[in-house]
Amino acid sequence: MSLNLTRRAALAGLGGALAMPAIRPSFAQGSPIKVGVLHSLSGTMAISETALRDTVLMMIEWANSKGGVLGRRLEPVVVDPASNWPLFAEKARELLAVSKVDVTFGCWTSVSRKSVLPVFEELNGLLFYPVQYEGEEQSRNVFYTGAAPNQQAIPAVEYLMGKDGGEAKRIALLGTDYVYPRTTNRILRAYLNSKGISDADIMEEYTPFGHSDWQGIVSRVKRFAGEGKRTAIVSTINGDANVPFYRELGNQGIKAEDIPCVAFSVGEEELAGIDTKPLVGHLAAWNYFMSVPGAPNDEFKAMWRAYIKNDKRVTNDPMEATYTGFRMWTQAVQKAGTTAVDAVRQAMYGQKVMAPCGYEEEMRPNHHLTKPVMIGEVQENGQFNIVHKTPTAIAAENWSPFIPENASRRG
Amino acid sequence: MLRILLLLAFLAGALPAAAQDAFIEALPGLAGAFGTQAEAVERLGAGGDPRALPVLRALSDGQLRKRDTLIILPNGTDAATGQPADAAGAETVRINNRVRAALRGALGRLQLVSANPDERLAAADSVFRSRSAENIAPLEAAIARESVPRVRERQELALAASRLVAPDAAVKRQGIATLGGASSEDARALLLEARATNPDLAAEVDAAVAAIDGRLAFKRAAETLFQGLSLGSVLLLAALGLAITFGVMGVINMAHGEFVMLGAYTTFMVQEALRGIPWLLPWSLPLSVPAAFLVAGLAGAVLERGLIRHLYGRPLETLLMTFGVGMILQQAVRLAFGAQNREVLSPAWMQGTLSLPGGILITQNRLWVIVFSLLVLALAFAAIRLTRFGLEMRAVVQNRRTAATMGIRTGRVDALTFAFGSGIAGMAGVALSQIDNVSPNLGTGYIIDSFMVVVFGGVGSLVGTLVGAMGLGVLNKIIEPWAGAVLAKVAVLVLIMLFIQRRPRGLFALKGRAADA
């Protein structure tokens, strides 16, 4: 299956690179619209980002099957920035200046987004960024289709402190050492302080990317929990370091009933490599789960399985955000009647899409989507049991009121 | 069985007749929202009705189904009436952590009288966590009847925990005294919680906590030591192969980590191949060890014969070339297996924790990795010291020309030595598949650490590698609580740099002519 997949990707990439002319009568006159795909296909982040590359390719196939956009065929241009942050900027410049793409879907880690940001602003490109992140950013050249902290991190901690979540009074903030976890934890600390949880009841620890020896940290969390107050873990651990972390939680017998752990970067895809039995009851906060009931999600899942030709592959939140962003972009291009960046940007504001999460999401002028917040518990089969969701989609606060120097900025 | 029946009869008799209906009344609550469910579970557990046990068990296993307020057991009967129920359109009852915590308490209380000592032990632990004053009577009854000492010990702790929340101060004091004899973080947490709600008992609580802290200090030191040895054993495994290819042969092999990765993927392949043979599947890990040795060893032999032998004496070119080979291997594996992590299952005998006297907890998989690393070390040592191949290898290292004149085929020995070192790296991959991710970049995380250990321990010395690995592991774990995981690593690297300044040849420097070769 994986061989198949890579061959498809290679073909798609080749097709893009050579800019093969379309000999299909079904499309009207006009050159193809070029769609850049800027996701790591090798290195540490490949585990998460390859699925996003496939999602974009799936959406291009979908759009072409409907006669393209503005009667023009869509054509992917796939590049591999190889989990190398400076290379992201180079590849972005290549996409914009050499391949002259009309729109780009890409990036996962915040550090890669920060790396390409100046390039997109300088060359007036258009980037769709599909992953939840720390906020404190708003570029006119980027549309953020993932969650801001108030659409994920803060509601999750609120849940932990509520009756259903176990009324936690002490919080351990564990994260990978880079900009997203550090900023998110800074926001969370300020939020917890405002809720009467003092610094003595907050533990904060960071580890490098790909950390695998969690024994010490997990036993320190146990000790931290031994102070007579309900304790919970908030994890911003990213990438494949999660696997040994959860394994250690299981091995040291930390049950979700005693010390629940809520994660912001662990979805169905990440759980695919873990034995989930010891993890039942631990939580994740997202804006979409594969287990969401309803027709929009069934349609999305069926589309993905048909495209990837594998019934075992799962869908996850960033894939859903890519899907939603792509559909919004096609709607905006139809509305603008052109792919010119400035016109599409104006047309994007107010676009609505019925997203697979079962809510209608709207692009606000602050370049962020309205999104529902969902909290799920890990089940034995690696899927999430949704235990809490907001009644409506909520607007993003990309400038957090808990970061004093930016609190006055409003999109 | 008889014991259960007797007790159930006792419980049923002791309860007012209304309690029988309490079961029926509580049942529909299980179909409600999480809060209602938790309440219903508590009522079912408190009622002590024999019909509650199968319902709660099914709920906990995710086997209970509902249609509106009708609760259906896994065998298809209506839980309220015991009659066969129409299961069409029924859905599984879902629970969350809050319900799960309530379930643990309720099931624990019902299972205190189980015929199986392991179940009674688990029940005592559950009741310990879900403590409530209502547990005191059933616990006292259970303790009076208990014959297994280890179960009784836990039951007494559970009783003490429940006594802490009793209304009577004298009963509370009893509980504090018993808990003061425990040596677990949980007991400490309960005591501190009681201290917050009972300021008048602060003095007793403080004394009990101090007693626990004394025992915990020893336990923590022991656990830190174990964690250090565990990290050390991982370093040892990763570095052993390198101690041979770099330490003995002097080849700077940057693709060493990729041989480790090949070993881990071999483990995955063996596991997949054995999926069709269920009785052999639990043994896939031991079977992977020789397989990984062969696969990585073969790859090593090909690399040595094909490329490295042309570059002997040119370390910089070797470094660059093997670095390239490493990247090729990584990408090849990524193409063949995909970028996703592969799941290697842990056999049952490697899961969970082992508790030693004094409450010291040791994770099984880490323990096995320590044992395995020492076995591999012994194997490497024996191969070098006790076999003809080892003798030839040492001869070639000491003086290539003289060895050749004695009839040793030095080229063949080079290839075998390199293959042996690579094979050991492959065996390390089998162990690492249990504690790290089986992904194409598995090896990159270990290459720097491996060189660090070999250089620190003394190039060319297996004993040095052992002492170096274990020393660095323990040092890392001692620094970690103060400095955090990132700074601890930095601190260890700085210390090694300072050490190498003083002793460039490492801990166990080779002496004599061999050292200059």
Side-chain angles (χ1 to χ4, degrees):
Chain A
M1 145 239 126
S2 35
L3 264 179
N4 243 340
L5 201 155
T6 21
R7 196 173 301 139
R8 181 201 297 280
L11 280 178
L14 201 66
L18 297 178
M20 285 194 298
I23 319 170
R24 282 214 209 149
S26 59
F27 294 102
Q29 296 283 323
S31 56
I33 298 173
K34 289 187 178 177
V35 180
V37 185
L38 184 63
H39 284 297
S40 299
L41 311 179
S42 51
T44 6
M45 291 313 295
I47 172 181
S48 303
E49 290 193 68
T50 33
L52 296 190
R53 183 266 325 259
D54 293 332
T55 310
V56 182
L57 294 181
M58 170 182 86
M59 293 310 291
I60 290 175
E61 204 177 274
W62 166 80
N64 282 339
S65 75
K66 299 191 136 196
V69 178
L70 303 176
R72 290 161 68 191
R73 205 171 65 85
L74 300 187
E75 191 180 272
V77 184
V78 181
V79 291
D80 177 15
S83 310
N84 174 345
W85 322 133
L87 193 59
F88 264 92
E90 277 177 45
K91 290 289 176 188
R93 187 171 291 280
E94 182 188 315
L95 282 175
L96 291 173
V98 182
S99 307
K100 303 225 183 303
V101 297
D102 297 289
V103 63
T104 304
F105 291 82
C107 298
W108 180 294
T109 58
S110 287
V111 45
S112 66
R113 189 191 64 252
K114 296 269 185 210
S115 156
V116 301
L117 197 59
V119 181
F120 275 91
E121 289 184 343
E122 180 197 328
L123 301 175
N124 196 24
L126 191 59
L127 172 71
F128 279 78
Y129 174 68
V131 185
Q132 44 81 15
Y133 80 120
E134 70 280 5
E136 306 310 304
E137 190 181 295
Q138 181 179 322
S139 162
R140 57 201 296 274
N141 296 90
V142 183
F143 283 99
Y144 307 80
T145 59
N150 76 310
Q151 293 170 312
Q152 188 193 27
I154 290 178
V157 174
E158 229 161 38
Y159 176 82
L160 285 179
M161 290 158 59
K163 217 165 166 49
D164 271 335
E167 296 175 284
K169 298 277 187 290
R170 263 166 101 78
I171 306 281
L173 304 171
L174 307 182
T176 304
D177 202 2
Y178 76 109
V179 54
Y180 163 66
R182 284 205 180 253
T183 313
T184 304
N185 286 342
R186 192 170 156 214
I187 294 171
L188 287 181
R189 184 180 281 269
Y191 170 78
L192 289 171
N193 287 345
S194 79
K195 293 284 168 189
I197 291 187
S198 70
D199 281 339
D201 286 330
I202 302 174
M203 159 183 173
E204 204 171 331
E205 283 232 26
Y206 296 94
T207 50
F209 268 103
H211 190 69
S212 65
D213 189 348
W214 290 93
Q215 306 175 83
I217 291 177
V218 170
S219 40
R220 276 201 292 292
V221 169
K222 265 176 134 174
R223 199 173 308 165
F224 179 72
E227 296 293 332
K229 288 182 187 171
R230 291 282 302 174
T231 304
I233 303 172
V234 173
S235 150
T236 38
I237 300 162
N238 251 261
D240 49 12
N242 276 300
V243 181
F245 169 64
Y246 280 111
R247 198 175 282 160
E248 192 66 35
L249 279 187
N251 277 337
Q252 295 211 18
I254 292 194
K255 290 255 168 47
E257 298 98 289
D258 304 319
I259 308 178
C261 170
V262 60
F264 300 153
S265 299
V266 176
E268 291 83 353
E269 191 91 349
E270 284 75 13
L271 287 182
I274 321 182
D275 176 16
T276 44
K277 270 190 215 79
L279 305 182
V280 170
H282 286 303
L283 305 137
W286 289 104
N287 313 97
Y288 163 85
F289 286 106
M290 190 179 175
S291 55
V292 167
N297 189 31
D298 292 341
E299 202 179 302
F300 175 52
K301 287 189 290 192
M303 187 175 169
W304 170 244
R305 284 178 170 159
Y307 175 80
I308 209 80
K309 296 188 180 62
N310 180 346
D311 276 351
K312 291 206 177 115
R313 287 293 297 270
V314 293
T315 57
N316 64 19
D317 180 278
M319 285 168 63
E320 190 244 10
T322 302
Y323 169 93
T324 310
F326 193 98
R327 286 192 44 193
M328 257 178 203
W329 171 77
T330 54
Q331 289 176 8
V333 172
Q334 303 279 16
K335 184 181 170 199
T338 165
T339 58
V341 170
D342 294 317
V344 173
R345 178 186 306 124
Q346 287 308 320
M348 274 297 290
Y349 303 140
Q351 283 298 339
K352 289 179 182 159
V353 161
M354 187 66 197
C357 63
Y359 292 67
E360 187 165 72
E361 298 186 348
E362 184 190 339
M363 181 54 74
R364 289 293 177 87
N366 66 358
H367 285 230
H368 287 68
L369 281 177
T370 60
K371 279 178 164 289
V373 184
M374 302 187 183
I375 297 184
E377 281 185 4
V378 177
Q379 289 177 293
E380 279 198 25
N381 60 5
Q383 288 288 320
F384 288 90
N385 171 20
I386 301 166
V387 292
H388 169 82
K389 60 181 167 187
T390 49
T392 55
I394 58 176
E397 272 176 8
N398 51 324
W399 302 110
S400 171
F402 295 104
I403 298 266
E405 57 269 33
N406 286 340
S408 58
R409 300 170 75 162
R410 281 288 177 272
Chain B
M1 197 59 211
L2 185 68
R3 197 205 301 241
I4 303 181
L5 286 176
L6 277 177
L7 192 97
L8 289 177
F10 155 77
L11 281 174
L15 290 164
Q20 294 289 339
D21 300 320
F23 172 75
I24 308 285
E25 265 171 41
L27 213 47
L30 294 181
F34 294 134
T36 327
Q37 278 183 323
E39 221 171 89
V41 167
E42 267 156 26
R43 282 169 64 190
L44 287 175
D49 193 296
R51 287 171 294 174
L53 191 57
V55 175
L56 295 179
R57 270 209 184 127
L59 182 62
S60 144
D61 297 339
Q63 302 282 330
L64 204 65
R65 285 173 299 162
K66 64 171 177 186
R67 204 183 60 230
D68 300 325
T69 58
L70 178 72
I71 303 292
I72 303 169
L73 286 170
N75 60 10
T77 57
D78 180 347
T81 60
Q83 302 301 315
D86 176 18
E91 52 172 332
T92 308
V93 182
R94 297 191 165 189
I95 54 175
N96 75 346
N97 277 334
R98 190 172 161 196
V99 183
R100 223 171 270 125
L103 255 180
R104 187 168 64 179
L107 270 176
R109 199 187 301 181
L110 291 173
Q111 288 179 333
L112 275 177
V113 291
S114 159
N116 177 347
D118 286 331
E119 254 175 33
R120 290 203 300 276
L121 191 80
D125 283 348
S126 303
V127 175
F128 174 79
R129 292 207 159 86
S130 72
R131 67 227 177 264
S132 93
E134 289 160 31
N135 290 339
I136 295 179
L139 272 169
E140 280 172 343
I143 290 172
R145 213 177 304 105
E146 188 55 63
S147 53
V148 183
R150 64 191 170 100
V151 179
R152 181 182 298 170
E153 196 181 304
R154 304 283 185 95
Q155 285 174 338
E156 268 162 7
L157 282 181
L159 176 62
S162 287
R163 277 180 172 157
L164 269 191
V165 289
D168 184 7
V171 178
K172 276 185 188 161
R173 284 206 176 83
Q174 268 181 311
I176 293 170
T178 319
L179 281 180
S183 50
S184 74
E185 261 111 10
D186 292 336
R188 187 172 186 273
L190 290 189
L191 283 168
L192 286 174
E193 200 180 294
R195 187 184 197 276
T197 47
N198 304 288
D200 47 319
L201 295 174
E204 280 99 331
V205 171
D206 285 343
V209 169
I212 293 181
D213 279 345
R215 282 186 296 273
L216 278 184
F218 169 73
K219 178 188 156 194
R220 279 172 193 165
E223 279 182 359
T224 306
L225 181 69
F226 173 76
Q227 288 168 4
L229 290 180
S230 159
L231 177 61
S233 71
V234 171
L235 291 175
L236 176 64
L237 275 172
L240 256 182
L242 202 72
I244 291 166
T245 54
F246 172 60
V248 176
M249 295 179 70
V251 175
I252 299 182
N253 178 17
M254 296 301 282
H256 175 76
E258 274 60 52
F259 290 137
V260 176
M261 183 261 295
L262 282 184
Y265 272 91
T266 311
T267 315
F268 171 70
M269 295 279 285
V270 170
Q271 172 194 297
E272 292 306 296
L274 292 182
R275 275 206 191 273
I277 318 168
W279 61 272
L280 211 55
L281 196 58
W283 300 105
S284 83
L285 214 55
L287 289 173
S288 304
V289 174
F293 181 81
L294 289 179
V295 169
L298 197 68
V302 170
L303 177 64
E304 201 276 342
R305 281 294 90 180
L307 297 167
I308 290 177
R309 74 181 165 123
H310 302 297
L311 294 173
Y312 278 136
R314 293 159 68 186
L316 187 63
E317 282 88 340
T318 316
L319 186 148
L320 290 174
M321 192 270 297
T322 49
F323 193 67
V325 169
M327 286 164 80
I328 292 172
L329 281 175
Q330 254 187 52
Q331 202 58 34
V333 167
R334 192 170 283 123
L335 286 175
F337 292 91
Q340 302 296 316
N341 291 341
R342 292 290 155 175
E343 186 186 2
V344 176
L345 302 170
S346 296
W349 44 271
M350 279 187 74
Q351 285 173 353
T353 41
L354 196 71
S355 61
L356 297 185
I360 298 165
L361 292 178
I362 283 181
T363 41
Q364 299 258 32
N365 63 346
R366 298 265 171 189
L367 185 66
W368 279 106
V369 171
I370 295 180
V371 171
F372 181 70
S373 71
L374 294 177
L375 285 178
V376 175
L377 177 73
L379 175 88
F381 204 77
I384 293 174
R385 288 283 147 194
L386 305 178
T387 64
R388 166 131 196 120
F389 155 66
L391 188 68
E392 290 182 355
M393 181 179 117
R394 280 180 288 144
V396 171
V397 167
Q398 276 182 14
N399 195 321
R400 180 173 293 271
R401 275 208 190 157
T402 314
T405 51
M406 301 294 283
I408 295 174
R409 290 159 66 188
T410 57
R412 189 169 149 267
V413 170
D414 284 339
L416 280 178
T417 310
F418 196 83
F420 181 64
S422 308
I424 286 184
M427 285 159 75
V430 179
L432 291 185
S433 76
Q434 289 303 308
I435 51 179
D436 206 338
N437 292 311
V438 180
S439 75
N441 355 318
L442 170 70
T444 37
Y446 292 97
I447 184 76
I448 301 295
D449 289 347
S450 309
F451 273 104
M452 191 175 85
V453 166
V454 173
V455 172
F456 176 65
V459 175
S461 159
L462 285 188
V463 179
T465 308
L466 171 69
V467 176
M470 293 300 175
L472 290 180
V474 174
L475 186 66
N476 202 322
K477 286 293 163 189
I478 291 176
I479 300 176
E480 208 186 274
W482 294 313
V486 181
L487 273 181
K489 236 182 152 174
V490 173
V492 167
L493 279 171
V494 169
L495 285 178
I496 290 183
M497 274 153 63
L498 292 175
F499 179 82
I500 296 292
Q501 294 285 318
R502 305 290 304 168
R503 288 189 62 149
R505 286 180 180 277
L507 278 176
F508 292 79
L510 290 184
K511 294 190 181 69
R513 252 198 317 201
D516 307 318

